Amino acid sequence: MIKRVTSLVATLAAVSAVVVIGPATTASAAECAAPWNSSSVYTGGGSASYNGHNWNAKWWTQNETPGTSDVWADQGACGGGDTNPGDPAPSGFVVSEAQFNQMFPNRNPFYTYSGLTAALSAYPGFANTGSDTVKRQEAAAFLANVSHETGGLVYIVEQNTANYPHYCDSSQSYGCPAGTAAYYGRGPIQLSWNFNYKAAGDALGIDLLHNPYLVEQDAAVAWKTGLWYWNTQSGPGTMTPHNAMVNGAGFGETIRSINGSLECNGGNPGQVQSRIDRYKAFVQILGTTPGDNLSC
């Protein structure tokens, strides 16, 4: 459970020329349409490719990611499809959909693979920095911690409802506009507290302070909050989990950054071992090794 924010990362969106894309001949199964562009306008019948699939717009749309909005109709895999489940996904993510499903066989349908890959654009350095081994280790580390936090991607929201009223820090100038019991844990890293929702929303360009419920309603938003914490917050540790993995500090430091004040230094060795066991299983699925410094 996330306790405090230690830094705030602002993101800047690049503005590009608007391109209107209308109906076009549907690309064949072996060919991908032009890649989806968030700044382009698509009218009904317009096609685009995203995450290895072709998509057709049902009506006018702009900046609505395929796979996360009803405006897009999935036309199936393109570019030859995922012929080898062990290969990286067409999006370039080091975890294929088959591997993701192997990691989370009992996951809640809310936690979609497409939601995760749609969220990757918010932090392009995630699982995309360093050698192939480091990329796979970081992906495994993130998903292992996520698995621990959510019971294998089963829980979308915090199960102990008695905690819900405790996550409003009224000393903040902006208060708790969504209600004093609205900022309970949600999503893959169980984002909690009004100040965390404010900081994550500011960084992602989403008003989560006034609408924290988006984290339990939109899979891409949920995944983005998890990636926000992973890539920008040190928590009770001394570095972000992302930096821990790409700079060789090891998996143990990711545990410290997420819940080290309660689990590390002998605080709860059983919980630490649970995270390590998941990590070892996931790097094996991804065909790599766990590296050093697994515990905290």
Side-chain angles (χ1 to χ4, degrees), residues 100-112:
F100 178 78
N101 289 334
Q102 186 179 353
M103 292 172 177
F104 303 104
N106 301 311
R107 65 180 171 83
N108 190 305
F110 171 78
Y111 289 113
T112 60

Side-chain angles (χ1 to χ4, degrees), residues 7-252:
S7 65
L8 174 62
V9 174
T11 57
L12 299 175
V15 178
S16 57
V18 173
V19 178
V20 178
I21 300 176
T25 302
T26 303
S28 69
E31 297 179 348
C32 287
W36 174 75
N37 187 314
S38 61
S39 64
S40 296
V41 169
Y42 297 85
T43 58
S47 61
S49 62
Y50 187 78
N51 284 343
H53 280 230
N54 281 323
W55 303 81
N56 278 356
K58 299 177 185 177
W59 52 81
W60 188 100
T61 179
Q62 183 182 31
N63 197 28
E64 293 180 281
T65 308
T68 64
S69 170
D70 289 340
V71 69
W72 289 103
D74 188 352
Q75 303 301 302
C78 66
D82 189 7
T83 57
N84 185 346
D87 287 342
S91 63
F93 188 37
V94 295
V95 181
S96 70
E97 185 166 7
Q99 290 168 332
F100 178 78
N101 289 334
Q102 186 179 353
M103 292 172 177
F104 303 104
N106 301 311
R107 65 180 171 83
N108 190 305
F110 171 78
Y111 289 113
T112 60
Y113 178 78
S114 62
L116 171 56
T117 54
L120 296 178
S121 61
Y123 295 97
F126 167 74
N128 197 30
T129 303
S131 67
D132 286 344
T133 295
V134 171
K135 293 174 185 177
R136 293 174 189 274
Q137 287 174 341
E138 184 181 9
F142 172 73
L143 293 172
N145 279 299
V146 159
S147 180
H148 179 85
E149 294 287 325
T150 61
L153 286 185
V154 170
Y155 302 118
I156 302 171
V157 302
E158 181 176 357
Q159 296 301 289
N160 187 356
T161 56
N163 282 341
Y164 286 16
H166 300 160
Y167 297 123
C168 175
D169 182 355
S170 58
S171 70
Q172 302 295 331
S173 61
Y174 42 78
C176 299
T180 56
Y183 301 99
Y184 49 85
R186 296 179 178 88
I189 296 201
Q190 294 287 281
L191 186 73
S192 58
W193 290 96
N194 56 327
F195 43 77
N196 279 328
Y197 279 90
K198 173 71 162 60
D202 287 350
L204 296 169
I206 307 168
D207 187 2
L208 297 180
L209 180 66
H210 288 85
N211 192 0
Y213 300 98
L214 281 174
V215 182
E216 63 184 89
Q217 296 168 349
D218 188 312
V221 171
W223 283 113
K224 283 180 180 179
T225 63
L227 291 172
W228 165 79
Y229 191 87
W230 184 267
N231 287 276
T232 71
Q233 303 301 301
S234 299
T238 61
M239 64 188 76
T240 67
H242 170 72
N243 285 340
M245 294 307 297
V246 302
N247 293 328
F251 179 72

